[in-house]
Amino acid sequence: MRRSGLVTHARELGVHDHVCWRYDDRADFRERAREFLADGLARGQRIGYVGTGEPAALVEDLRGIEGIDEALRSGAAGVASLDATYRVGAVVEPTAQVRTYAEATEAALAAGFTGLRVAADCTTLVRTPEQLAAFARYEHLVDHYMTGHPFSAMCAYAGAEVDDRAFAQIACMHPSSNDAAAGFRLHAAGGRVAAALGGEVDLFNGDLFAVALERADLRPDGGRLVLEAGDLAFLDHRALLRLADHAAGLDASLVLRTPWPGVDTLVDMLGITGVRVERTA
């Protein structure tokens, strides 16, 4: 099972979980990262810690995790500095970045671990509009990979450097976050489902939803664009029309699986064709 929605701590997250973490205090983030990684180590996963600065300083951030010295020696734990990987202002190529973590996950499995777990401070990778757009796309793509593979991640962003608007664009691509800035979540669901949609989409975050939908680039399966919307609390008519238009542009019908009764009302009131609502408990 994946954790979905608002989370308050980094413990007991599953092997497929993907949490977006906003921090104001760097020391607090390090503590949350240690919680997340210690839990992964206890599950038999290989763990990784990614951030800026010298590798030796990153290793020091992990002090306090039980058995960390042995884990570092054996290869069960590792650190990586973004300074050595990306030039300043580098724009991540989304599919290549997913491939990198897919290969790392396969390597962990081949080495006898139960999977891979990474805590990464991604602040420096979303500072420009170009970086932000590419990284948001990557976050959605890697979330799809996670649903079918034992890879989990904590993606952290400094509140002092990533403002509310920018953070919301990233957070909405995750199934869970410690900050409800976006108001909705558009993330992977696995199987033959195009995506999962949760939270509320209304007048206040409608523009953000449009951007998220474009970056997610949802694809139909068998002529149907299926959204698992079990956690949907509200969807306004603009967002529904946008989803219907997206599906129609792909010669597909839109299928919404949700317990929220308001969708049926909107479909009837607006006379929208090509939309099917499957009510769930």
Side-chain angles (χ1 to χ4, degrees):
M1 292 293 293
R2 310 186 88 196
R3 188 75 63 86
S4 184
L6 194 65
V7 298
T8 57
H9 60 75
R11 299 183 300 276
E12 300 175 358
L13 292 169
V15 296
H16 304 286
D17 276 313
H18 186 201
V19 59
C20 190
W21 199 271
R22 192 180 197 186
Y23 68 89
D24 294 317
D25 184 290
R26 193 170 295 275
D28 181 67
F29 161 62
R30 288 194 290 263
E31 180 62 27
R32 302 289 81 77
R34 285 192 291 267
E35 289 177 354
F36 181 70
L37 295 174
D39 195 43
L41 202 59
R43 291 171 179 266
Q45 296 173 296
R46 174 176 276 169
I47 63 171
Y49 181 57
V50 181
T52 56
E54 293 296 323
L58 295 174
V59 168
E60 286 303 311
D61 286 350
L62 300 181
R63 299 298 177 199
I65 296 178
E66 184 177 353
I68 191 59
D69 289 327
E70 175 56 30
L72 288 164
R73 283 193 294 269
S74 69
V79 301
S81 175
L82 291 174
D83 299 334
T85 308
Y86 298 101
R87 60 177 173 77
V88 175
V91 177
V92 165
E93 203 293 306
T95 56
Q97 187 77 354
V98 173
R99 188 163 54 249
T100 294
Y101 278 118
E103 291 171 354
T105 301
E106 292 304 314
L109 293 172
F113 297 97
T114 59
L116 178 67
R117 176 170 291 207
V118 174
D121 188 340
C122 307
T123 303
T124 61
L125 299 177
V126 298
R127 284 180 169 153
T128 69
E130 293 78 15
Q131 285 182 303
L132 180 61
F135 210 77
R137 170 66 176 160
Y138 154 72
E139 291 280 28
H140 188 78
L141 289 179
V142 79
D143 197 57
H144 279 278
Y145 175 78
M146 288 179 184
T147 61
H149 301 85
F151 173 42
S152 56
M154 169 187 277
C155 308
Y157 300 88
E161 300 179 57
V162 181
D163 64 22
D164 290 351
R165 184 175 181 276
F167 179 77
Q169 292 181 55
I170 295 292
C172 70
M173 297 301 200
H174 290 73
S176 59
S177 175
N178 72 325
D179 188 308
F184 69 88
R185 304 175 302 281
L186 183 66
H187 61 91
R192 301 180 70 176
V193 177
L197 177 62
E200 300 184 10
V201 186
D202 52 30
L203 177 64
F204 299 101
N205 59 14
D207 289 343
L208 173 61
F209 181 68
V211 171
L213 187 60
E214 179 181 355
R215 289 172 178 166
D217 190 26
L218 304 182
R219 297 280 116 183
D221 183 276
R224 304 196 317 159
L225 186 74
V226 181
L227 290 184
E228 189 63 59
D231 293 327
L232 182 67
F234 180 78
L235 184 75
D236 73 5
H237 70 282
R238 300 173 188 83
L240 180 58
L241 288 169
R242 184 168 281 118
L243 284 170
D245 287 346
H246 182 84
L250 298 169
D251 294 323
S253 60
L254 174 66
V255 179
L256 284 171
R257 295 175 179 168
T258 180
W260 185 58
V263 177
D264 300 272
T265 303
L266 285 175
V267 170
D268 291 341
M269 286 180 58
L270 298 172
I272 305 175
T273 59
V275 177
R276 176 181 172 184
V277 180
E278 295 182 355
R279 293 291 297 279
T280 57

